[in-house]
Amino acid sequence: MAPKDTTPDTQCRPCRGTGRLISGLGGTPREVTCPWCAGTGQFQGPEANAQESGIRLRGGQA
Ligand SMILES: [Zn+2]
């Protein structure tokens, strides 16, 4: 459903790798640290899972 984009899997999508988001809570938009990547701009969750899956596949039956 989602169109293909050029965003790498390691780039945090909510903040587009900037590490910051604009929060409009309270009616006043302000810049906050992205909670998904802790401001690093790198999204490490899926990559870590992929590595673990790879290890499992290799360690499983051939
Ligand atoms: Zn982020």
Side-chain angles (χ1 to χ4, degrees), residues 5-46:
D5 54 40
T6 56
T7 304
D9 289 342
T10 53
Q11 180 175 335
C12 184
R13 297 196 177 200
C15 67
R16 296 182 183 178
T18 64
R20 289 188 291 272
L21 289 175
I22 301 298
S23 176
L25 292 178
T28 304
R30 61 174 177 173
E31 209 171 57
V32 299
T33 301
C34 177
W36 281 271
C37 64
T40 63
Q42 301 290 317
F43 194 65
Q44 302 176 354

